[in-house]
Amino acid sequence: MGKTIAEKIFDLHRVDTPAEGVEVLRIDTVFCHEITTPPAILDLIARGKDRVFDSHRIKAVIDHVSPAKDSKTALQGKVLRDWARRHQIKDFFDIGRNGVCHALFPEKGFVRPGNTIIMGDSHTCTHGAFGAFAAGVGTTDLEVGILKGVCSFHSPETIKINLTGDRGKGVYAKDVILAILGKIGTNGATGRVIEFTGAVIDAFTMEERMTVCNMAVEAGATSGICAPDMTTVTYLWPFIAEEFSSKEEALAAYRAFTADPDAEYAETVDLDVSSLEPLTTTGFKPDMVVPARELSGTKIDQVYIGSCTNGRIEDLRVVAQVIQGREVHPEVRAIVSPATPGVYGQALKEGLLEIFQSAGFCIMNPTCGACLGMSGGVLAEGETCASTTNRNFNGRMGKGGIIHLMSPATAAASAVTGHITTADAL
Amino acid sequence: MKEFNGPVLFLDRSDINTDEIIPARYLTEITREALKPHLFEDLDLPGFRPEKDIPGKKVIISRENFGCGSSREHAPWALEVNGLYTVLAPGFARIFRQNMFNCGLLAVDLSEEDCREIFQRFAGTEANCTIHFDSSTLEITSLENRLSLTFSLSKFERDLIQAGGWVDFADSRYEH
């Protein structure tokens, strides 16, 4: 019987089977941020076990509230910072060098095909774009990961989502994943892995694959995964050039993390993207998806461009293209947060920041802030935000606030008109 | 092992997410106790009043996909500091479910049929839930009603409950 990508990764990392259907895996890399890690650190200290399994395999960043907004968030940063120094965690990213974890860590070359990765953050599934098994976990799993380098999972069932057809103009990776959510629902992949396959994925850049894998958890998936290919190798090449004599050799090695033709899937979902149009969400669940044009009368108070879903350079280029020569509507607060210093620097170099600034955008530093209503763009009760983030839960961006999820292109067009607008309608 | 029995809080909606259980604005709290007054603060459910409905309850019975969304373990912690050690639902989000057992708390899967029957017979009444951990049975009772059900937990989940959570379990079993 053939194997899925997740099954192959599990086979290479299994250290224990404590019960039928439960597998304890060796974790290649543990990612940490300042919200969910400090309670793990404090508990380890309280237990007299303030140790790390391998300081080179732990990467940490302060990203959720940066700069600190008050004494409490300052303390969270301090607990993480002191711990990183105490244990000589070299890859620790503090203000000025920090960015949204799921954008920063791939950019730093910390993810490889076949890796197992955990983090106390549900959007860790993003890193599956590289052919890794990457899962969000709670603080206790994180704590054991830090201490022992292991984590327990149920044996992975996989759903294959096969994406075919030609994307129309103005339809982006975000529209594709929203369409998938609309089709399978927020409970459609609970406890399972999603393998994204098909010509659409093959043609996607790594940034686009990350956008798709990022929202796999919105369907309940443990990890989204894309098989590694030459696009993966080319993205990783600056980090792996010393390991392999050629890109072809790297690709041959990474092919080990491709599903077998006779792999067994719990379910296969086919989606032809040809008929897709720009989408958005309504209500308080990310699977309540509608064509953006159907909500074109919806007035907005804020536009937010950023996050681990859509804060990368390609996203910013699209926004700049839409708003160039136009202005943010006088009744809209438009915020853009490039997801990493690398993205910020590149946007600066390409003149994108100038376009944002002259159009009337507020350009923020890289942070998760507004996406979960912690800082930098919290909504007042009854306000509406057109957002490139990943969750439209009730109160997520501030109590009583309403979020419509959409692509950077649609968010940018909405910033110009003051109501939900697709870019082609400008 | 904790005391898993007691009065039931019925939350009649599917997909109750972790932002509704404990909003992100409280994730800056360092102590678990500080989460206590904010449990379900953003849960918009007709007739539900957290300050009146939560005190004294020990068990939550809810609908499909309970705990979806964020990985925050603050969600089970917010339940725990309010004395809610058990959640019964026809399915949980993976991370939330694992977080419950990792903390030594109980997440019990109901069949959709049993869930429907429970809501039909007990919602809106003062109901009590008793978990018989060893025989994998549970009982829901009210003044006029009594319902017995079986449930299943994996050996691993039982081990975690008995060990008091994953840290102690892993510590006794893995190197480093």
Side-chain angles (χ1 to χ4, degrees):
Chain A
M1 181 55 68
K3 293 194 161 150
T4 63
I5 300 174
E7 285 167 343
K8 290 185 181 190
I9 296 173
F10 271 49
D11 282 349
L12 289 170
H13 290 83
R14 189 178 299 109
V15 294
D16 189 18
T17 309
E20 200 191 329
V22 179
E23 309 188 34
V24 172
L25 304 185
R26 176 174 54 77
I27 301 302
D28 290 312
T29 313
V30 177
F31 291 160
C32 299
H33 67 54
E34 90 279 16
I35 301 295
T36 53
T37 315
I41 295 168
L42 297 175
D43 194 61
L44 286 170
I45 292 171
R47 288 170 184 269
K49 293 179 188 297
D50 181 21
R51 305 192 296 269
V52 300
F53 83 107
D54 183 341
S55 61
H56 298 287
R57 290 178 175 274
I58 295 179
K59 318 288 178 187
V61 64
I62 294 175
D63 63 354
H64 272 56
V65 185
S66 173
K69 64 175 179 179
D70 55 17
S71 302
K72 285 178 180 173
T73 50
L75 179 60
Q76 288 179 307
K78 181 175 162 50
V79 171
L80 189 71
R81 186 181 299 119
D82 289 350
W83 170 77
R85 287 183 188 153
R86 190 160 74 240
H87 295 288
Q88 288 154 349
I89 293 167
K90 183 172 61 61
D91 294 313
F92 168 63
F93 300 91
D94 208 337
I95 193 140
R97 300 180 174 88
N98 62 351
V100 178
C101 49
H102 309 307
L104 183 73
F105 292 150
E107 192 184 285
K108 294 288 174 191
F110 294 156
V111 185
R112 295 284 185 282
N115 275 180
T116 50
I117 293 168
I118 60 168
M119 182 174 198
D121 191 286
S122 60
H123 293 107
T124 307
C125 52
T126 311
H127 308 283
F130 292 83
F133 175 80
V137 297
T139 287
T140 301
D141 273 338
L142 181 74
E143 181 175 336
V144 171
I146 287 168
L147 184 64
K148 307 270 179 182
V150 299
C151 192
S152 81
F153 292 96
H154 288 275
S155 306
E157 276 188 355
T158 301
I159 301 182
K160 178 151 120 176
I161 298 187
N162 190 35
L163 299 163
T164 56
D166 294 316
R167 258 188 303 158
K169 198 172 170 293
V171 174
Y172 295 90
K174 181 63 159 287
D175 300 303
V176 171
I177 186 63
L178 287 175
I180 292 168
L181 288 166
K183 191 174 167 97
I184 70 172
T186 49
N187 202 7
T190 301
R192 293 165 163 183
V193 170
I194 301 177
E195 260 184 42
F196 296 102
T197 67
V200 175
I201 292 293
D202 294 345
F204 268 170
T205 62
M206 287 314 299
E207 283 79 2
E208 291 172 314
R209 292 178 194 180
M210 283 190 261
T211 297
V212 169
C213 286
N214 174 267
M215 291 185 73
V217 72
E218 308 316 330
T222 307
S223 185
I225 299 189
C226 301
D229 61 5
M230 199 40 107
T231 304
T232 323
V233 170
T234 302
Y235 183 102
L236 290 175
W237 190 245
F239 310 106
I240 60 172
E242 286 182 6
E243 278 174 60
F244 299 102
S245 64
S246 67
K247 288 184 181 176
E248 287 69 28
E249 192 191 302
L251 182 60
Y254 293 155
R255 286 274 189 225
F257 305 106
T258 306
D260 293 326
D262 57 343
E264 202 178 323
Y265 292 93
E267 195 182 338
T268 299
V269 176
D270 291 301
L271 183 73
D272 185 342
V273 303
S274 309
S275 60
L276 287 188
E277 56 180 307
L279 300 172
T280 188
T281 56
T282 180
F284 299 123
K285 282 169 63 195
D287 62 351
M288 297 171 76
V289 174
V290 293
R293 65 181 161 77
E294 285 183 12
L295 292 191
S296 64
T298 306
K299 195 180 159 303
I300 53 166
D301 303 290
Q302 177 167 299
V303 167
Y304 185 79
I305 299 190
S307 86
C308 53
T309 318
N310 281 123
R312 299 183 181 83
I313 190 66
E314 291 183 356
D315 302 314
L316 268 47
R317 285 179 188 140
V318 169
V319 173
Q321 221 171 9
V322 173
I323 63 162
Q324 185 152 35
R326 297 188 166 105
E327 280 190 2
V328 171
H329 189 276
E331 288 178 20
V332 171
R333 312 185 297 271
I335 298 169
V336 55
S337 168
T340 70
V343 173
Y344 199 112
Q346 187 63 28
L348 186 65
K349 212 154 76 185
E350 294 180 19
L352 310 184
L353 298 190
E354 202 182 324
I355 295 171
F356 299 152
Q357 202 259 333
S358 57
F361 266 84
C362 162
I363 305 168
M364 287 214 327
N365 61 304
T367 176
C368 308
C371 172
L372 71 168
M374 291 195 80
S375 66
V378 178
L379 299 174
E381 199 142 357
E383 286 190 327
T384 298
C385 182
S387 180
T388 68
T389 56
N390 42 46
R391 281 190 184 135
N392 55 347
F393 295 164
N394 189 10
R396 170 103 174 158
M397 202 175 269
K399 196 174 171 69
I402 293 158
I403 302 162
H404 296 280
L405 306 176
M406 60 185 72
S407 74
T410 308
S414 306
V416 173
T417 62
H419 53 88
I420 293 179
T421 306
T422 57
D424 65 342
L426 278 183
Chain B
M1 241 171 72
K2 295 187 162 66
E3 173 64 50
F4 296 108
N5 307 324
V8 178
L9 170 64
F10 291 98
L11 299 176
D12 190 4
R13 213 201 72 201
S14 60
D15 298 303
I16 289 179
N17 65 58
T18 50
D19 281 67
E20 291 170 311
I21 300 171
I22 185 77
R25 54 186 175 275
Y26 303 116
L27 303 188
T28 61
E29 297 295 345
I30 289 283
T31 68
R32 297 180 186 194
E33 202 57 35
L35 304 173
K36 191 172 177 180
H38 306 298
L39 176 66
F40 293 126
E41 191 172 291
D42 281 359
L43 180 63
D44 188 11
L45 202 60
F48 175 62
R49 284 164 54 202
E51 66 288 350
K52 179 178 147 287
D53 294 339
I54 294 171
K57 303 296 193 317
K58 297 282 168 200
V59 176
I60 290 174
I61 302 183
S62 189
R63 302 279 191 177
E64 292 83 0
N65 203 25
F66 189 88
C68 60
S70 150
S71 63
R72 67 190 66 158
E73 205 160 299
H74 303 71
W77 296 338
L79 299 180
E80 187 178 10
V81 294
N82 277 283
L84 290 154
Y85 299 153
T86 308
V87 184
L88 278 61
F92 298 85
R94 181 196 69 88
I95 305 174
F96 177 84
R97 187 192 162 90
Q98 192 62 47
N99 286 345
M100 288 288 283
F101 288 101
N102 282 349
C103 294
L105 304 172
L106 198 52
V108 176
D109 282 302
L110 295 173
S111 72
E112 284 179 27
E113 202 177 31
D114 287 343
C115 183
R116 262 197 307 274
E117 190 174 351
I118 291 170
F119 272 95
Q120 234 162 41
R121 286 171 57 176
F122 297 95
T125 70
E126 285 187 13
N128 213 69
C129 179
T130 311
I131 311 270
H132 304 289
F133 198 65
D134 294 331
S135 62
S136 293
T137 55
L138 62 88
E139 255 172 25
I140 299 165
T141 52
S142 67
L143 274 179
E144 299 95 33
N145 256 312
R146 170 179 295 267
L147 180 67
S148 285
L149 300 170
T150 58
F151 65 93
S152 74
L153 290 180
S154 75
K155 179 183 172 295
F156 182 57
E157 289 160 348
R158 285 175 185 277
D159 288 347
L160 290 182
I161 293 280
Q162 256 140 12
W166 170 232
V167 178
D168 290 316
F169 180 90
D171 209 30
S172 65
R173 200 154 160 135
Y174 307 111
E175 296 285 308
H176 272 294

